[in-house]
């Protein structure tokens, strides 16, 4: 089964740190099988994904500042991939309980950002036995 969903978030002209775990889990609830994987994609330049510990705003500030310094050099593109793959087992994301999926937008335009979530899942036993 392949399922694709598009989501949009509003961004600012600074470095935006956006927890998209809720949207990802929403897509996982739609899957028919129990196992598979999620692919997150930022189709336009200026954003990437990371698995991060949930942090207080004061802990995020130094990371945001470091990324700000790398924005002009293009190094930030090397550190933040435009896509992220997360395995799913028994309808749960295979990440640590203290981790979240973060969309980091480093674009200076402050526009609405699109990201996509693609779910690939195995067929449930019932689906596999149904005639085509």
């Amino acid at each position: 089964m392949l399922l694709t969903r598009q989501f949009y978030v509003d961004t600012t002209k600074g470095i935006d740190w956006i927890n998209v775990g809720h949207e990802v889990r929403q897509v996982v609830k739609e899957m028919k099988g129990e196992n598979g994987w999620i692919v997150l994609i930022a189709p336009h330049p200026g954003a990437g994904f990371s698995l991060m510990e949930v942090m207080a705003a004061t802990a995020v500030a130094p990371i945001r500042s470091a990324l700000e310094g790398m924005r002009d050099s293009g190094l930030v593109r090397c550190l933040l991939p435009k896509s992220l793959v997360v395995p799913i087992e028994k309808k749960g994301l295979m990440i640590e309980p203290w981790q979240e999926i973060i969309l980091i937008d480093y674009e200076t335009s402050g526009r609405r950002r699109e990201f996509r979530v693609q779910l690939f899942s195995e067929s449930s036993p019932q689906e596999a036995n149904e005639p085509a």
Side-chain angles (χ1 to χ4, degrees):
M1 172 184 168
L2 169 63
L3 179 65
T4 302
R5 295 287 183 258
Q6 291 175 285
F7 296 94
Y8 297 89
V9 292
D10 291 323
T11 64
T12 66
K13 293 183 179 188
I15 302 276
D16 294 299
W17 200 274
I18 304 163
N19 185 336
V20 296
H22 175 75
E23 290 84 350
V24 171
R25 286 177 180 88
Q26 180 181 331
V27 176
V28 171
K29 286 180 183 178
E30 296 181 50
M31 75 186 288
K32 294 184 180 174
E34 288 198 350
N35 303 315
W37 62 93
I38 286 277
V39 180
L40 290 102
I41 304 123
H44 305 290
F49 294 96
S50 184
L51 281 176
M52 305 284 298
E53 290 185 25
V54 177
M55 300 181 200
T58 54
V60 171
I63 298 170
R64 184 176 279 137
S65 177
L67 291 174
E68 188 76 45
M70 290 184 244
R71 185 168 26 188
D72 293 336
S73 71
L75 183 58
V76 70
R77 287 187 185 100
C78 298
L79 299 174
L80 294 173
K82 288 177 54 82
S83 63
L84 177 71
V85 177
V86 180
I88 302 167
E89 188 175 281
K90 297 180 183 171
K91 284 203 170 196
L93 297 173
M94 295 294 298
I95 60 177
E96 299 297 334
W98 57 85
Q99 290 180 316
E100 281 297 338
I101 299 169
I102 305 296
L103 169 67
I104 301 172
D105 180 280
Y106 52 89
E107 181 72 29
T108 58
S109 65
R111 62 186 171 98
R112 193 171 161 153
R113 165 71 59 192
E114 173 191 3
F115 70 97
R116 297 180 191 154
V117 178
Q118 288 189 323
L119 174 119
F120 299 87
S121 68
E122 64 185 6
S123 298
S124 65
Q126 182 181 9
E127 286 179 356
N129 292 329
E130 291 177 2

